[in-house]
Amino acid sequence: MASSNYSLKVHRELLDPNFESYRLSLDAIPTYNIELDAAVEEVKLKDTQYTLEHMRAFGMYNYLHLDPWYEDSVLFVDCKGRVLSLTVTLDTALGKPREVYCIAAEPGRREDRLCPSLSLTSATWAALSDGSSRLYLLRTGKRGDGSHVKWELLFSEDTGEPFTILHSVSHVQAGVHAMEVLLLRIQKDPQETKGSGFSVSLEWVTVANTAGHGQEKNYEVRKRRVLSGKSVPHYAAVEPQGKGLMVASEKPFVFTHVDGRPVEQPQPGTVEVEKTDPIYFWQQTAEDVTLWVRMPEGVTKEDVQFKATADNLSVGVRGFAPLLEGQLHASVDPEASVWIIMNDKSLEVTLQKRSEGPMWPELVMGDRRGEFVMSDEQAALIHERLTHLTSEDLNANPDGDKPPCNSQELEDCDGFPEDSSSLTHFDEESLRPTQVVNLGSHQYLFTVDVDPSEMPCLCLRHDVDALVWQPRPNQPGDMWEHIATFNALGYVQASKRDKKFATCAPNFSYASLCECLRRVFIYRQPSPVETVLFNRKQGRQVGQVAKQQVASLDSDKPILGFRATNERLFILTSANLFVLKVNND
């Protein structure tokens, strides 16, 4: 299956071009503090883990896990290997986090040990890593009912090398329960001689119940797939039914192994692609469009089948399928459309545009078999307009009061990474990318679980705003849907030099950022104001105001975990779990 380029479609009705700014609110945020019985162990990177990819993967790990199936429920692992759970129902009566599982102590601690990682696979299952090399799949039961039943281990495997769990899903197909788990590793690569000497590996493991009906459950690995790349992915998640995978990263990933067997990679230069000549050429002016369609030699006017309506065009030869047929990019005047046979082998067609001025990016929508030919007059005009961009004069702008843009005058948060990230959808059967989005300057901001039955959403910067995208793998034509916008958050977050984590409420009522120490910033969506306010510059009444709030934690410990629900913010340090009551709804 060949990959196709895809563009993210922004929903204009979700944008606010009139958004002005966030107003600082001094309203106090109720903050509650839970002192932990045992510290959360922050795993420090070793001297051998010196690359930027190690820092991105393990140094910025979020130790706190939000349960998307049960509201206001969070989990984390402490230094004793205990998986602790806290469900908040009443802020003023917070209990201690309760132990739901304990990782067995290993005989000797590995030097390259990572932090334990947890992924809540479904409402009743979870995947757990001990930070070394062992993967656990656990049946949790219903976690949010307050019973805190101990989790049951149903699968355990030593994978040989340390990893963290990025994502996991649970599904049932043909009556067989299976779990898809995505593991991240950074490994020594002997073939990497120019760079850091490390490569990034994603292992996609499928574990299924092999026991028959009525027998005791027996989970075994059914399939392993390994992807390799050169950068830690910003986003990586498996589809709900395990039929595909989505990865957002600066460098591309490719499947290299399936069940231990190498995957054949297409070698550049070994496959010759036949180049097909265009079947038509076309030009345009502000008033009309002219196209030339190849016809069989010796064709007569009686053989030509031509039909033009206001929005559609069909050109062909009698007895054959139409050579060119489809919806035009814009409307034309069918009464003014004419055609003529040229040199007995081509048909020249002239279409009169209904709207003069706008230039068409394509002739027939979705048809890529033609070639646009620029006229001499258009080429000369464009050359004249762009001459100043190639001038030897440093300031080629003739207007003295409009000097050219100086990059030194830009703020740091206006810059974008040099590497161009991409968002790729891989098909599980072919192991090939089916759709690729070039993210370009759309900086990745954070990932958030909005609907546990869907894939996690990713938030990207678009201009100054932050846009939330929901993957829809069952809709190939609209695979990423724009579902929410946080005004100016893309610009605001880029100005926070000490920013560590970012997230938002699942209902998008607010977004939040935290620094490495103490400070938390909350950015609320615009809401109606009770009093009458006027914009002094524009002289108009202001009906809505977006508020910014700042909270400072009573702790000098680094922030290790940061999660948001619709009502609360949960912040984890090595010694404390803070609960901030953000909304009272």
Side-chain angles (χ1 to χ4, degrees):
M1 187 180 297
S3 63
S4 60
N5 291 330
Y6 185 87
S7 298
L8 298 176
K9 302 174 184 177
V10 177
H11 289 182
R12 298 296 173 184
E13 61 271 17
L14 296 180
L15 302 181
D16 183 6
N18 298 320
F19 181 80
E20 295 179 353
S21 63
Y22 289 97
R23 306 291 177 87
L24 180 62
S25 171
L26 299 180
D27 295 339
I29 301 176
T31 302
Y32 305 91
N33 181 6
I34 301 174
E35 294 186 0
L36 305 180
D37 297 333
V40 178
E41 182 181 12
E42 182 181 8
V43 177
K44 304 291 185 180
L45 296 180
K46 311 300 186 296
D47 292 340
T48 55
Q49 301 167 325
Y50 59 85
T51 70
L52 176 61
E53 303 312 320
H54 283 95
M55 175 56 69
R56 288 175 172 174
F58 313 128
M60 299 293 288
Y61 184 75
N62 197 330
Y63 287 71
L64 190 61
H65 307 277
L66 180 68
D67 195 333
W69 280 270
Y70 303 100
E71 189 173 1
D72 290 302
S73 180
V74 292
L75 301 98
F76 61 94
V77 183
D78 67 6
C79 62
K80 296 181 179 180
R82 299 181 301 172
V83 180
L84 300 175
S85 172
L86 176 71
T87 301
V88 177
T89 54
L90 185 62
D91 300 270
T92 55
L94 294 175
K96 289 286 186 180
R98 296 187 181 182
E99 177 185 338
V100 293
Y101 187 77
C102 186
I103 302 173
E106 53 184 307
R109 294 171 64 90
R110 297 180 58 136
E111 277 297 318
D112 54 354
R113 183 176 178 270
L114 305 173
C115 55
S117 55
L118 174 68
S119 175
L120 299 168
T121 307
S122 70
T124 55
W125 285 85
L128 176 67
S129 161
D130 64 354
S132 294
S133 58
R134 186 162 290 277
L135 171 66
Y136 304 91
L137 295 182
L138 304 149
R139 184 164 57 185
T140 66
K142 293 185 177 181
R143 299 183 293 270
D145 57 4
S147 59
H148 293 280
V149 177
K150 292 285 186 177
W151 294 0
E152 179 185 2
L153 176 65
L154 290 184
F155 175 84
S156 175
E157 181 190 48
D158 190 343
T159 63
E161 296 184 65
F163 63 88
T164 58
I165 303 175
L166 292 183
H167 186 237
S168 63
V169 295
S170 172
H171 59 90
V172 177
Q173 288 187 347
V176 177
H177 177 237
M179 284 172 286
E180 315 284 347
V181 187
L182 195 59
L183 315 178
L184 169 68
R185 293 187 181 92
I186 298 180
Q187 301 169 308
K188 271 287 187 181
D189 188 354
Q191 299 180 352
E192 181 70 27
T193 58
K194 297 181 179 179
S196 64
F198 290 89
S199 64
V200 180
S201 171
L202 295 178
E203 184 176 2
W204 178 4
V205 183
T206 301
V207 180
N209 180 21
T210 59
H213 181 69
Q215 298 178 353
E216 187 177 352
K217 289 180 170 53
N218 181 34
Y219 285 86
E220 296 180 357
V221 175
R222 187 169 65 184
K223 196 170 186 179
R224 298 180 190 272
R225 290 135 293 193
V226 177
L227 299 88
S228 294
K230 297 299 181 184
S231 64
V232 171
H234 301 304
Y235 173 95
V238 184
E239 290 184 16
Q241 296 300 317
K243 296 181 179 179
L245 176 72
M246 292 187 189
V247 178
S249 60
E250 293 178 1
K251 304 291 177 61
F253 276 80
V254 294
F255 279 90
T256 57
H257 293 81
V258 175
D259 294 331
R261 299 187 300 271
V263 176
E264 293 186 7
Q265 303 296 333
Q267 298 297 325
T270 59
V271 180
E272 294 184 1
V273 180
E274 181 182 356
K275 184 178 180 180
T276 57
D277 295 330
I279 67 168
Y280 66 92
F281 298 87
W282 65 290
Q283 287 183 346
Q284 65 176 320
T285 65
E287 296 81 19
D288 55 39
V289 175
T290 304
L291 67 143
W292 296 267
V293 184
R294 295 177 175 224
M295 307 289 281
E297 191 169 351
V299 69
T300 63
K301 63 180 181 180
E302 289 78 13
D303 299 324
V304 175
Q305 289 190 326
F306 174 84
K307 182 180 179 181
T309 64
D311 300 310
N312 290 273
L313 176 68
S314 178
V315 180
V317 179
R318 190 182 306 276
F320 298 92
L323 298 171
L324 177 62
E325 185 177 36
Q327 182 181 353
L328 295 167
H329 176 75
S331 298
V332 298
D333 183 1
E335 300 297 329
S337 302
V338 295
W339 59 268
I340 184 174
I341 297 178
M342 303 289 292
N343 303 324
D344 293 333
K345 57 182 180 181
S346 67
L347 189 72
E348 180 180 307
V349 179
T350 303
L351 305 173
Q352 190 77 25
K353 295 181 180 179
R354 281 194 184 275
S355 301
E356 295 185 5
M359 304 301 282
W360 294 6
E362 58 183 347
L363 177 63
V364 174
M365 296 180 63
D367 195 304
R368 299 292 184 266
R369 300 172 299 163
E371 180 178 323
F372 177 73
V373 181
M374 191 177 299
S375 65
D376 295 339
E377 293 80 5
Q378 290 173 326
L381 180 60
I382 293 176
H383 176 74
E384 181 181 351
R385 290 178 176 177
L386 301 181
T387 298
H388 71 282
L389 296 179
T390 57
S391 172
E392 295 181 359
D393 186 3
L394 183 61
N395 185 358
N397 192 334
D399 300 326
D401 59 337
K402 298 178 182 180
C405 176
N406 184 349
S407 60
Q408 295 179 352
E409 296 176 357
L410 296 176
E411 297 186 34
D412 292 339
C413 54
D414 289 320
F416 295 104
E418 295 181 358
D419 293 323
S420 180
S421 301
S422 62
L423 174 60
T424 307
H425 173 264
F426 292 93
D427 178 65
E428 191 273 338
E429 293 184 2
S430 66
L431 305 181
R432 305 293 184 192
T434 61
Q435 290 187 336
V436 180
V437 177
N438 182 8
L439 297 181
S441 60
H442 301 318
Q443 177 189 6
Y444 166 83
L445 301 181
F446 58 83
T447 299
V448 60
D449 285 302
V450 174
D451 184 349
S453 64
E454 300 279 356
M455 297 182 70
C457 296
L458 64 162
C459 185
L460 304 174
R461 177 178 177 176
H462 284 245
D463 195 9
V464 298
D465 296 332
L467 274 55
V468 180
W469 299 88
Q470 174 67 68
R472 308 284 190 192
N474 58 340
Q475 302 176 7
D478 191 16
M479 190 169 286
W480 293 279
E481 180 184 357
H482 173 204
I483 60 173
T485 300
F486 292 103
N487 300 303
L489 185 66
Y491 183 85
V492 169
Q493 64 85 31
S495 65
K496 305 296 183 186
R497 292 184 177 273
D498 295 328
K499 183 196 73 174
K500 187 171 185 180
F501 297 118
T503 187
C504 72
N507 63 1
F508 312 121
S509 59
Y510 69 92
S512 186
L513 315 173
C514 77
E515 296 181 339
C516 298
L517 290 171
R518 288 195 181 91
R519 289 205 299 177
V520 176
F521 301 88
I522 299 170
Y523 300 92
R524 298 181 182 273
Q525 295 282 20
S527 60
V529 293
E530 298 178 357
T531 58
V532 179
L533 297 178
F534 283 89
N535 185 303
R536 294 181 179 179
K537 293 183 178 180
Q538 300 178 358
R540 62 179 178 84
Q541 184 174 346
V542 178
Q544 291 186 323
V545 170
K547 294 182 179 180
Q548 171 193 353
Q549 291 176 283
V550 182
S552 184
L553 305 178
D554 184 16
S555 171
D556 58 354
K557 305 289 186 183
I559 294 177
L560 301 181
F562 189 68
R563 300 292 180 181
T565 66
N566 294 334
E567 293 186 19
R568 299 172 178 90
L569 266 175
F570 294 86
I571 304 163
L572 181 69
T573 68
S574 60
N576 303 85
L577 176 61
F578 293 93
V579 181
L580 277 63
K581 189 65 177 292
V582 180
N583 289 325
N584 294 318
D585 299 334

